Structure formats: C-alpha cells, structure tokens
Amino acid sequence: MTDSDTGTETGTGTGIDSDARTDKGRADRPGPRAGARGRSGAKREAILRAALTVFLREGYAGASVDVIAATAGVGKQTVYAHFGDKEKLFLAAAREAQAVLDDADGHELWKSPMPRTGDVRRDLVDAAVRVLRAVLAPESAALHRMTVAEITRHPELQHLWRDNASREVMADVVDYLVEKDARGELSVPEPETTARQFVLLVATEGRVRSLHGTVPLTEADLVRIGEETADLIVRAHRAEAD
C-alpha cells in the first residue's frame, strides 16, 4: 500500500522509496566506465600474450604488429593505443614474461626451503638442480635467448636477468649460507655475494652446456653441474680449523 502524499510504501513498514530502490540497484551494477576498464585490461593482456608468442617465434626484427594484432584478436590501432609502438610493446612483453616466470619458478620449483641434510655439498647440489630446472624450462630459455639477441638494440633488457633473478631463491640461499657460517661449517663473510655467484655459476653453466636451452640435458647432466659448482663453493669457503 502507498501513501498518496509521500509516495512511500506504508504497508511494509519500511518507508523505502521505490525510486530509491531502483537507484540503488543501478548503483550496485558496474557502470560503463568500469566495464570499459575491464575490457581494456583484458585486451592489454591478450596483446601481451600474443606479442610474446610472436616475438619468441619470429624474433624482434621478424615480428609484425599486424600478426600480433591478429593473434590477439584486436585491431592494429588497438595495439598502438595501448603500447605506442613495436619497441615499447616488445619491452613490455619481455618484462611481463619475466615476472610470470619468476612467480612460477618461485612457487613451483622452490616450494620449500633449501634442504638441511647435514651435508653442505649435498644441499648445494640439490639447490643447483632446482635452479637449473627453472632456467632451462622451455619458456624461460626462449625468453633468455630472445633478450640476448636484442640486448645491443635494447640495453635495458639486461635488467631482466641482472635484477630479476628470483628473489625468493636468492634469499633462501643467503639464509642457508649465513646459517652455515654461524655454525662454523663454512666461512662466508659475504653471503649475498656468494649466493649470487653460486646461482650465476649454475645458471650460466647450464645454459652453455644446453646451447641456451636448445639441447635437452639429462638428470645426470644437471646433477653433474650441481656437483661441480657445489665443490667450488665448498672449497672456496671451507671453514678454517681451530
């Protein structure tokens, strides 16, 4: 029942204006701008995925913005509207891919801390094998080959590999070395430097032996690289006897 003077419902005792209810319902629904932002974000992600696919397959010089747009299912002008030009698109795709790979490496290949078996060499070998599996994964190896090929034209790409090594992995190795130094099992006065050297030695050796990820390495190959690197670290940081 409705009060003829106020236009409010009196029978329910709520006193809610029916127009107000309608306005609230409209407010609860996403507006056109929110919908547009969502569609724009989805297009941007589609363009980045398509760009990475095409750049990895064709290289920077051979990749066409027309092909990238077609792969993403958008118009060429949409690509330019989001990224400006081919060079900016390439750099954005490379950064996005590295971020995704870092997350995958950290969560999938480094789910638990370094082992504490009581055998330093054995622990380092295990860590080395996990690092190798991450850097030689097909997507990671392909991205590394692409950035190396383009680094003279785009020097900023060096930051992808110099600055974005998995922080979770590096921090875990640092913590391990600090612990072993405190217990007198190793002498590691600069654990951050030693951790970086360990990871880079392992990754570089793996890339060289696999021809930058183009020749698969066996499990025995990974273990051998790990053993060689672990031996270097243990000899270089052997604790002095009292």
Side-chain angles (χ1 to χ4, degrees), residues 52-124:
L52 185 61
T53 296
V54 175
F55 282 131
L56 289 177
R57 184 180 68 226
E58 308 292 343
Y60 179 79
S64 160
V65 175
D66 288 315
V67 173
I68 292 170
T71 303
V74 301
K76 184 176 180 179
Q77 290 307 312
T78 301
V79 176
Y80 287 126
H82 279 276
F83 296 98
D85 57 33
K86 178 180 171 181
E87 181 177 22
K88 291 186 179 69
L89 173 59
F90 173 73
L91 294 174
R95 283 191 293 268
E96 180 74 8
Q98 182 63 59
V100 170
L101 287 171
D102 281 346
D103 285 343
D105 294 348
H107 292 294
E108 297 301 323
L109 296 173
W110 207 268
K111 288 182 178 179
S112 59
M114 283 188 62
R116 266 73 171 174
T117 65
D119 183 332
V120 173
R121 181 179 184 273
R122 179 178 172 184
D123 293 344
L124 291 175

